[in-house]
Amino acid sequence: MRAAPLLAVDGLRMHFFTKAGVVKAVDGVSFTVGRGEILGLVGESGSGKSMTGYSIIGLVDPPGRIVGGSIVFDGQDLTRLDAAAWRAVRGNRIAMIFQDPMMTLNPVLRIDTQIVEAVRAHADVSRESALARAREALVRVGIASPDERLRAYPHQFSGGMRQRVAIAIALVNGPDLIIADEPTTALDVTIQGQILFEMQKVCRESGTALIWITHDLSVVAGLADEVCVMYAGRFVESGPVADVLDRPLHPYSRGLIESVPSRNARGQPLRQIPGMTPSLLGLGAGCPFRERCASATARCAESPEVTEPAPGRRLRCFHPAH
Amino acid sequence: MLAYAIRRFGQSLFVLVLMSFIVFVGVYAIGNPVELLVNPQADEVERARATAALGLDKPFLEQYWVFLKGAASGDLGRSFVYNVPALDLILDKLPATIELAFVAMVIAIALGIPLGLVAGLKPDSAIGRGIMAGSILGFSLPTFWVGLVLIMVFSVQLGWLPSNGRGDTLAVAGIPVSFLTADGLAHIAMPAVNLALFKLSLLIRLTRAGTREAVLQDYVKFARAKGLPQSRVIGVHVLKNILIPIVTVIGLELGSVIAFAIVTESIFAWPGTGKLLIDSINQLDRPVIVAYLLVIVTLFIVINFVVDVLYSMLDPRVRLGGAAASH
Ligand SMILES: Nc1ncnc2c1ncn2[C@@H]1O[C@H](COP(=O)(O)OP(=O)(O)OP(=O)(O)O)[C@@H](O)[C@H]1O
Ligand code: SF4
Ligand SMILES: [Mg+2]
């Protein structure tokens, strides 16, 4: 029997109530993250990864709303918190980093202001000791001469440096969980590798759990312990990363894995999943993948339940691969 | 910075000279002031003497040259009507106009920014829509009409506020101001509100648009993700960003509020430069018209310069330059 996980998302549903109709951006997503564990949250663009992240940190804006499911974090259901209690969790016990480092830092505030305010939002400390924590956080993410950097403005930094600063801000209060929403997508390949490496190192050192959102399976392969695949706002399959990548059970994950270039399949043409992601606006019942699925049968017009085909593996499909 | 200031000064001088020439051509075309100044029964000889006394017998370009030489030593000519230096007349009336403009801007800022913030944060709420509807009214109702309605309601019907003049003033550093006495305040209230209305509507819209754009930015989401209280997210992260365009516009509008106080000053008989200008145009008092326009243009130039300095102080990207980016 494993200890209770740090985070258990169960049947999460987050819908947008737009004038054109209901957009089911997240519609039944479940996963768990243990303390210090790294989860890769994978899916195509528009599959609801970011909205899942925003739901966990309580940053869903109208017309979006969490309409169902639970988010149990350290024994507490976050969906039941009031605004003040949410604020105490946000940036303190759960932190988030965004995709575009050029946009995440406020252009008119100095770096020290932006880190110190994060510290003082949660701890009643002097500006000096907050600054000391800020300096320490910058050093941890590999920023040299932190004192000089603290007095600079974001525009004086490159993209990679800005993302390091954002990571330092996420780390500064020693959170239990960091949600990283494609934080390397906007960066050069070499910088991507560095950030990925450092992020992993820092989380391992401090025992911080990490949800790494990405559409890139090859990133997840080297980074995560567990992986959770999403499609059109729904949970598809999850399990230990090596298992899922070696032996995907769901036709969608299989398609995703076969479309990634790999060493042992060099020279062979890459496979593509035929067709396009369905529109989430007014998406009805049934498996959302059935239009593109080679294994689909008449039964797939109903929604498959989540099953546990093997210990630690979960799946939502009527006709999984064996 | 010094080179920049010198370049700006040169440009400003050029604008002033060009302006003075255009104004000179303009007033030259309006009509002959001698007709208004001398007795209609006067004979040709007397008429010619008056024309020569005012220097109007010389060719146009020579008149302009005489004016330029005078202007270079701070002499903008003497009023035909009052026979005192035109500049003195204007400087005498300027404090009243500047005070009116200043109070109007304070009203516009003190109400416009908070109302714009509320409308920008809650664009679909009843209060947000109400604020927007009000600002549309403020934009589209003509100033003189609003002025007359104000007088009808608050002076004629309710009898609360005086409808004309400046009331008691108190000298501060030798300059008379109204807002320090109760009577002065009562006198300035209506004209200032009247003059503020358009700028207030403008600031509401500007703040609302800036807020709506800013709240969608990632840096606002990130600020919220840090767990900052809403007051800090709005009051620091949003406000500091939208303040950059707002300060620019406020500065530029301050000039136009002074220049366009004319209508309000006429309605409320406010003894400022606007009223002086209207009187001078009616009497074809050319030196006063020219001097007024030059003073206003100079004010515009000075204000623009101050706004540029403020702008660069607010925006670190301008203040420090992009060249410092490091990797
Ligand atoms: N304000 C909104 N109103 C309506 N629908 C929205 C809104 N914001 C997002 N959506 C929808 O929610 C869905 C999920 O979006 P989300 O950003 O979570 O996708 P994602 O998996 O993060 O994609 P990407 O890889 O492109 O970041 C999208 O299909 C999008 O159209
Ligand atoms: S449920 Fe049916 S349609 Fe959906 S993935 Fe499985 S086989 Fe394909
Ligand atoms: Mg996303």
Side-chain angles (χ1 to χ4, degrees):
Chain A
M1 183 71 199
R2 275 168 48 170
L6 174 69
L7 175 78
V9 175
D10 190 33
L12 178 68
R13 292 161 70 226
M14 198 287 275
H15 296 177
F16 285 100
F17 296 87
T18 68
K19 290 199 178 82
V22 179
V23 178
K24 299 179 178 174
V26 181
D27 198 35
V29 168
S30 312
F31 55 80
T32 60
V33 185
R35 286 185 186 278
E37 231 176 55
I38 301 182
L39 171 83
L41 188 58
V42 183
E44 284 170 307
S45 185
S47 57
K49 306 182 296 294
S50 297
M51 295 307 153
T52 305
Y54 291 145
S55 301
I56 297 170
I57 200 168
L59 287 182
V60 172
D61 290 319
R65 206 168 70 219
I66 295 180
V67 292
S70 62
I71 304 168
V72 178
F73 174 77
D74 200 13
Q76 188 179 33
D77 187 352
L78 299 181
T79 60
R80 293 173 196 277
L81 295 188
D82 62 13
W86 253 128
R87 194 183 73 65
V89 172
R90 224 181 273 141
N92 189 21
R93 305 207 54 204
I94 305 181
M96 188 158 178
I97 313 164
F98 300 143
Q99 180 167 351
D100 189 352
M102 304 313 259
M103 312 295 293
T104 7
L105 299 176
N106 193 321
V108 301
L109 298 178
R110 278 189 352 194
I111 301 299
D112 53 2
T113 312
Q114 303 196 43
I115 309 188
V116 165
E117 67 177 4
V119 175
R120 299 182 80 185
H122 300 288
D124 189 13
V125 295
S126 69
R127 195 184 139 75
E128 284 64 42
S129 61
L131 259 179
R133 290 194 205 175
R135 196 177 301 119
E136 198 184 305
L138 288 185
V139 171
R140 272 169 79 196
V141 296
I143 291 182
S145 51
D147 288 299
E148 194 183 313
R149 296 308 194 176
L150 278 170
R151 281 188 303 273
Y153 284 90
H155 76 273
Q156 295 169 303
F157 288 71
S158 66
M161 284 288 270
R162 288 192 207 193
Q163 198 61 291
R164 282 168 203 263
V165 172
I167 294 171
I169 292 176
L171 283 170
V172 76
N173 290 321
D176 298 306
L177 173 68
I178 295 180
I179 302 165
D181 190 356
E182 313 204 36
T184 57
T185 324
L187 303 173
D188 292 347
V189 185
T190 47
I191 311 284
Q192 271 186 26
Q194 289 172 15
I195 299 261
L196 201 65
F197 173 76
E198 252 149 46
M199 191 80 200
Q200 196 174 7
K201 187 173 120 239
V202 168
C203 286
R204 295 278 187 229
E205 278 169 7
S206 56
T208 309
L210 182 62
I211 296 179
W212 191 278
I213 295 176
T214 179
H215 55 261
D216 191 349
L217 266 176
S218 52
V219 168
V220 167
L223 172 76
D225 305 307
E226 297 269 322
V227 62
C228 171
V229 183
M230 286 180 70
Y231 182 78
R234 304 200 191 169
F235 170 83
V236 156
E237 126 162 69
S238 68
V241 74
D243 283 10
V244 174
L245 292 187
D246 283 349
R247 223 163 39 82
L249 298 176
H250 194 284
Y252 173 66
S253 345
R254 216 182 327 142
L256 213 55
I257 289 162
E258 281 167 358
S259 63
V260 174
S262 70
R263 261 186 219 105
N264 34 24
R266 185 167 296 186
Q268 291 172 21
L270 286 181
R271 289 225 240 147
Q272 287 286 320
I273 305 175
M276 280 183 10
T277 324
S279 161
L280 296 183
L281 187 66
L283 186 68
C287 174
F289 191 57
R290 64 185 183 281
E291 253 96 74
R292 303 169 75 183
C293 180
S295 321
T297 62
R299 208 179 151 203
C300 304
E302 284 164 45
S303 288
E305 290 299 318
V306 176
T307 55
E308 200 168 337
R313 295 209 48 178
R314 288 153 55 83
L315 172 73
R316 198 171 183 182
C317 174
F318 289 121
H319 311 292
H322 295 288
Chain B
M1 190 62 202
L2 187 67
Y4 173 72
I6 291 172
R7 200 168 60 235
R8 271 297 280 264
F9 185 72
Q11 286 168 353
S12 309
L13 215 60
F14 174 74
V15 169
L16 273 175
V17 172
L18 189 73
M19 238 316 277
S20 69
F21 186 75
I22 295 171
V23 170
F24 224 77
V25 172
V27 291
Y28 204 83
I30 298 179
N32 188 352
V34 176
E35 305 294 337
L36 287 171
L37 288 171
V38 300
N39 186 338
Q41 269 86 52
D43 60 4
E44 272 311 308
V45 182
E46 203 172 322
R47 214 173 266 266
R49 194 166 350 105
T51 309
L54 296 176
L56 297 174
D57 54 338
K58 302 198 182 79
F60 170 75
L61 281 179
E62 197 184 331
Q63 286 185 33
Y64 181 60
W65 180 241
V66 168
F67 164 78
L68 269 192
K69 275 199 298 191
S73 59
D75 173 13
L76 295 178
R78 296 180 84 81
S79 160
F80 293 164
V81 178
Y82 304 103
N83 197 26
V84 294
L87 193 58
D88 290 357
L89 268 181
I90 288 161
L91 293 184
D92 191 40
K93 302 283 187 193
L94 202 56
T97 297
I98 290 186
E99 184 186 10
L100 180 62
F102 192 74
V103 173
M105 269 328 254
V106 168
I107 293 173
I109 294 167
L111 291 177
I113 294 180
L115 287 177
L117 263 177
V118 171
L121 291 174
K122 302 216 174 299
D124 295 321
S125 67
I127 177 151
R129 285 170 197 272
I131 291 170
M132 266 322 270
S135 93
I136 290 172
L137 271 185
F139 255 129
S140 37
L141 296 177
T143 303
F144 72 89
W145 186 84
V146 175
L148 293 180
V149 169
L150 284 175
I151 289 179
M152 274 192 6
V153 173
F154 292 100
S155 302
V156 180
Q157 286 181 356
L158 298 171
W160 289 353
L161 295 170
S163 68
N164 62 59
R166 199 177 174 193
D168 296 343
T169 58
L170 209 71
V172 175
I175 299 163
V177 294
S178 313
F179 71 91
L180 292 178
T181 66
D183 183 53
L185 268 182
H187 277 85
I188 204 170
M190 277 202 296
V193 166
N194 185 225
L195 190 56
L197 203 57
F198 190 85
K199 305 300 166 195
L200 171 62
S201 308
L202 183 74
L203 278 181
I204 287 178
R205 288 176 160 230
L206 201 68
T207 311
R208 177 181 182 266
T211 307
R212 290 197 68 176
E213 202 188 307
V215 292
L216 298 177
Q217 301 294 317
D218 274 1
Y219 63 76
V220 170
K221 200 144 204 166
F222 191 57
R224 289 166 61 205
K226 291 186 208 170
L228 301 182
Q230 187 75 352
S231 57
R232 187 167 171 95
V233 174
I234 304 298
V236 175
H237 285 263
V238 171
L239 200 60
K240 244 197 144 172
N241 273 280
I242 62 175
L243 226 43
I244 295 170
I246 290 176
V247 165
T248 311
V249 170
I250 288 176
L252 299 179
E253 292 299 321
L254 190 59
S256 81
V257 149
I258 294 172
F260 299 124
I262 298 168
V263 177
T264 299
E265 288 189 3
S266 301
I267 302 170
F268 294 93
W270 185 262
T273 50
K275 197 165 164 301
L276 175 68
L277 178 72
I278 300 285
D279 294 345
S280 303
I281 290 175
N282 285 334
Q283 294 163 324
L284 292 182
D285 197 347
R286 284 188 197 171
V288 179
I289 302 173
V290 174
Y292 170 84
L293 290 168
L294 287 183
V295 166
I296 292 295
V297 171
T298 308
L299 267 177
F300 260 92
I301 289 171
V302 171
I303 288 170
N304 279 8
F305 183 74
V306 173
V307 168
D308 273 2
V309 172
L310 269 182
Y311 177 83
S312 60
M313 273 166 34
L314 274 177
D315 193 337
R317 288 161 294 190
V318 176
R319 173 159 32 104
L320 304 171
S326 64
H327 295 265

